[in-house]
Each structure stands twice: as C-alpha cells, then as structure tokens.
Amino acid sequence: MADDPVHLVAVIGAGPAGLFAARALAATGARVVLLNRDIKPGGLAEYGIFLNKYKMKGGLRRQFHKILTDPLITYLGHVTISNKGDLTVPDLEALGFDALVYAIGAQGTKYLGVEGERLPGVYHAKDLVYHYNRLPPFSERPFPMGRRVAIVGVGNVMVDIANYCAHFTDCEEIIAIARRGPFEKAYDDREFEDVEDAFDHARYREEIERIRPRLVAAGQNPDELLAALAAKPEGSARTLARLRFRFLASPKRVLAEGGRVVGLEVEENRLERKGDRIVAIGTGETSVIPADTVVFAVGDRVDEDAGLPYKDGLYLTVPGEDPAAAYQVLDPAAGKPQPGVFVVGWARRASDGVVGRARLDAETGIRHVASYLTTRPKRPRAEAEQAVESLRKTLAARGAVVDYPAVQRLEAAEKARAAADKVEEFKFRSDREMLDAIGS
C-alpha cells in the first residue's frame, strides 16, 4: 500500500545488475533510489553490446523501461559516486539509507605489465567498445585504428573488436593473439559468426600446422580443428579485412618507432597439463608480430577510486562459507561486514558473464540484502519520499541531475534524429549534447 512503512535503499549503478537489483528490491516493498554515473541507464547493455545489434538492445531497453517506471524506484543519472565524485561513500552512508547496493561494474583498466602497453595506438578493449558505442567521454576521444591490428585475448570481446575492425574501419589484417591454444579459446561460436566473413581459413590451417607438435605433446588432436574448419564456409568478399589467429603466444613488449606502434613482441609457449587444467608455459623463444595498433582484450578490474576497499583488482567481501558473505563488503580494519553495504554483478566479480549472469547475480544478492533489511526498522513512506526529494535537490544544486522522464525525452530526441537521418540508431556524442536535448 502507498502508506505502508518502507526501507530506503540506494542502488549505485544502473547497468543490468543495478536495474535488476532495483526491481528485486522494489518487489520486496523497498523504496529504491537508483544512482547512475551515466546520463542514460543500461550500462553495458546500452554501451557494451555490439553497435548494430539493435534488436537485442531494443528488447533490453523495454525490460528496463518497465523497471524504471515502477513508482518505488527513482532514477537519478549523471551522478558520480567516488572519492572525487558528486557523492562519496561516506556521503551516502550519512544520508541514512537502510542499505547500499553497489552495482557499478568493473570500470578500472586491467593492465598486464607489458612494456609499452600505454603507448599511443595501444588501447584497452573496454575503452574502444565505449568509443564506438558512443559513451561519453570515450565517444569524444579519437581512437584511430591502423591497417594491421593485433588483439590480445580470444574471448567474446575480441570478436566484437574484430567485428568493428573488419566492418567499420579501414583495417586490412586482424591478428587475434592467444596465450594458450585453439582448444582453450574463450569466445562463443555463435558470436564468432559475426566475423566469419573475415576469417582467413588458409592462415588458420597454417597456424594449426605450425603449432601441431605442441598440441600433440599436450594430448590434443589438431585434426579435429581442421575437420571443424572444413565444415565452415569460406569467408566472403564482403570485407577486405582478414582475421587470423596466433596461438601459444604471450605478449612481452609493444614496439614503437618514432612514437608509432610497429609491432608486438611475443614469447612462444608450450602447453602442459596440470590436473584438469591446461596451462601455457613460456619457452623463452620470442618473435615479433607486425602491427600498428594493439588492443588488449584481457578483462577488467574494479574502479579503485569508488571508495570501497579493494585488493588485486576486486572489492573486498567477507570471507567464509556463508553464501551472503560473498555479497557483503568487508570492513578490513574491523574484520567484519560493513553494515548494510553490498556488491552485486561485476562489482562483485569482474568480467563474469553477460546480461543473464548479471541478472542472476543481482537477484541472488538482493535475497541477502532483503534478509539484512529484516533486522532494520522501517520508516514512514512519507519520510522516505522526503529523503529522496532532499537527495534530488542536493544533487541538482551540484549540477545537472537526470531523472527517468528526462531520459525518455532524450530517447525521443535520438529516435527523431535517427528517423531524420534514415539510420537505425542515433546517439548524441557528448553529455552536453544529451543535456541540451533534454533541456537541462
């Protein structure tokens, strides 16, 4: 009922995990404030799914619309929660929320410690994905792609980067570099269909023959790979770019001349079985893969400036076998949970799965949040609404804050531009353009 007492909960981050967490909380009767860094909600569902997968993104947006129009949920975008943001973690705690749920994803950059990995012409895959999906400020920065692009990593993100290089740039050669072998590839075959037209079958056969002795030594049968390849259609002439693989190679150094990338030095690996695992062992032999752009698609780490305790690229949660502990943020000094502070989604486990996994993790985490809330007294609904309005005014005094009706106006403006330009989708490039379209 509208006058029933409620718990007041803040969810920080409006990607899939945050949105599904907000829905699960509202289903318990909690009053939820959803705080988001970006102007638009959706997170990786909006800015991570490949740019021309319009049907998939449209379906998710419709799900999110149902969540964001729930009267128990208030969306406030263009709000940064960090040590240097609009609000800090202590600020949020001082506002008197009954629980804080962090669903901020893994916004930090994961580096391998390879010499030259921060040179111009070397990119982190996430930054490049944000660029071509038009997430400010990445959309406003140039990301020039060379004719020969080396991508380190062979997961689904590699496939997206290869897709972008093959179909949206002037790239001529794409080299996917794997530390282990073809049997350990991490991408989904269905995802790979997007780049089949660029896949160079002849070069793949050459690569399998090159590493054949090392595969056989590890008990793997390269002929299985060649048989599977023979069943695939040859690439078409739809793209001039050719995609090839370089297996059993670990990046050692990005090479540059005159400030420009010219290649990636790699160490040759062999495979070794350790129990049920296959591991790559360096041989000491090195070679150079010519390239004028290098993209590291090796996963992500959490944002160290968010204000939560972290170590080794992850936020600290409570150790132990209690299932709830994995979602509770640790107070390192006290050695026990921070009361009412939780993490879900990639904030809890970076780069783990996609939208379905984020939803499951969020809903699992909220069951533990709901259990915690039973130990807290509820407040009158009017008091909760007053607290939400006070927060809105505080944020508005510090800069433009965007609610969900404003997001709907923005989406309408973008649809109108897409129709006028006769394109499937249009996105404004900067926050300023979006705020102007909203009227803020």
Side-chain angles (χ1 to χ4, degrees):
M1 299 293 292
D3 296 328
D4 287 346
V6 295
H7 289 114
L8 182 61
V9 181
V11 176
I12 301 93
L19 285 157
F20 288 119
R23 184 178 71 175
L25 282 163
T28 71
R31 184 67 173 88
V32 183
V33 179
L34 185 56
L35 299 165
N36 194 37
R37 176 198 65 182
D38 306 325
I39 289 175
K40 296 170 72 174
L44 286 179
E46 180 69 29
Y47 296 110
I49 294 173
F50 197 71
L51 57 92
N52 64 359
K53 293 187 176 181
Y54 308 116
K55 185 176 180 180
M56 181 185 297
K57 289 189 285 186
L60 288 168
R61 286 171 186 149
R62 287 189 290 275
Q63 289 187 57
F64 298 158
H65 172 74
K66 291 180 181 179
I67 295 171
L68 291 163
T69 51
D70 187 317
L72 284 173
I73 298 173
T74 294
Y75 175 81
L76 298 175
H78 203 223
V79 178
T80 303
I81 312 297
S82 76
N83 293 334
K84 305 172 185 176
D86 301 301
L87 293 173
T88 64
V89 172
D91 288 338
L92 277 182
E93 292 172 341
L95 289 170
F97 287 99
D98 296 301
L100 303 175
V101 179
Y102 286 84
I104 53 179
Q107 299 301 323
T109 299
K110 183 177 181 179
Y111 290 102
L112 297 180
V114 173
E115 181 182 342
E117 64 185 344
R118 303 194 190 209
L119 286 168
V122 181
Y123 309 132
H124 188 277
K126 179 182 63 187
D127 298 348
L128 183 57
V129 169
Y130 284 166
H131 168 74
Y132 65 63
N133 274 313
R134 291 212 157 194
L135 171 65
F138 303 94
S139 52
E140 301 169 84
R141 300 174 188 165
F143 282 77
M145 305 300 292
R147 296 298 179 93
R148 181 178 284 164
V149 178
I151 308 172
V152 178
V154 288
N156 287 336
V157 175
M158 176 279 291
V159 176
D160 279 353
I161 300 300
N163 191 357
Y164 175 67
C165 291
H167 302 121
F168 295 87
T169 76
D170 294 327
C171 180
E172 295 175 356
E173 185 177 22
I174 307 153
I175 311 102
I177 299 167
R179 182 171 52 87
R180 294 186 294 171
F183 286 99
E184 291 77 47
K185 56 92 173 169
Y187 61 79
D188 296 331
D189 289 335
R190 288 189 63 181
E191 294 290 328
F192 195 76
E193 291 174 4
D194 292 333
V195 292
E196 286 281 6
D197 60 339
F199 183 31
D200 192 323
H201 286 211
R203 296 293 293 273
Y204 184 82
R205 284 190 288 268
E206 291 174 6
E207 178 65 5
I208 297 305
E209 294 301 336
R210 186 184 73 87
I211 63 172
R212 176 182 284 273
R214 283 178 273 176
L215 297 178
V216 171
Q220 297 177 338
N221 183 2
D223 291 328
E224 293 179 15
L225 301 166
L226 297 177
L229 179 69
K232 294 179 179 291
E234 290 281 351
S236 72
R238 189 163 68 94
T239 174
L240 294 176
R242 310 312 299 158
L243 168 64
R244 67 183 180 91
F245 284 83
R246 179 68 177 270
F247 295 110
L248 299 174
S250 293
K252 305 302 290 184
R253 182 165 57 117
V254 179
L255 305 177
E257 294 178 0
R260 298 184 62 178
V261 172
V262 296
L264 179 68
E265 183 181 47
V266 297
E267 180 180 11
E268 295 290 332
N269 296 328
R270 60 180 176 83
L271 295 176
E272 186 174 295
R273 289 190 177 274
K274 290 192 175 181
D276 294 332
R277 297 186 304 125
I278 291 280
V279 298
I281 307 294
T283 65
E285 178 186 349
T286 62
S287 57
V288 174
I289 299 172
D292 40 28
T293 303
V294 177
V295 182
F296 284 91
V298 293
D300 307 292
R301 57 186 289 134
V302 298
D303 180 3
E304 297 175 1
D305 290 324
L308 298 176
Y310 68 92
K311 182 179 180 181
D312 298 330
L314 294 172
Y315 296 127
L316 296 180
T317 53
V318 177
E321 297 183 4
D322 181 355
Y327 295 88
Q328 296 173 300
V329 174
L330 178 69
D331 179 343
K336 59 184 181 180
Q338 293 188 28
V341 184
F342 299 83
V343 285
V344 297
W346 281 17
R348 189 179 75 86
R349 180 179 290 179
S351 307
D352 181 38
V354 286
V355 174
R357 187 75 63 84
R359 174 179 175 174
L360 177 61
D361 195 75
E363 292 172 346
T364 302
I366 294 309
R367 287 199 290 271
H368 299 303
V369 177
S371 178
Y372 167 81
L373 289 174
T374 62
T375 69
R376 300 275 300 177
K378 294 183 177 180
R379 68 188 75 194
R381 176 71 180 266
E383 180 183 318
E385 295 301 335
Q386 185 178 12
V388 173
E389 189 57 30
S390 176
L391 175 58
R392 184 197 301 269
K393 289 179 179 178
T394 297
L395 291 170
R398 300 183 186 186
V401 61
V402 178
D403 59 15
Y404 187 56
V407 171
Q408 292 176 291
R409 295 197 300 273
L410 171 61
E411 290 176 342
E414 291 184 332
K415 287 180 180 177
R417 280 290 299 270
D421 295 346
K422 297 181 179 179
V423 295
E424 190 75 26
E425 182 177 88
F426 173 86
K427 287 183 180 179
F428 290 107
R429 186 179 179 186
S430 68
D431 282 353
R432 185 67 265 163
E433 289 175 325
M434 284 190 269
L435 293 172
D436 288 344
I438 290 169
S440 297

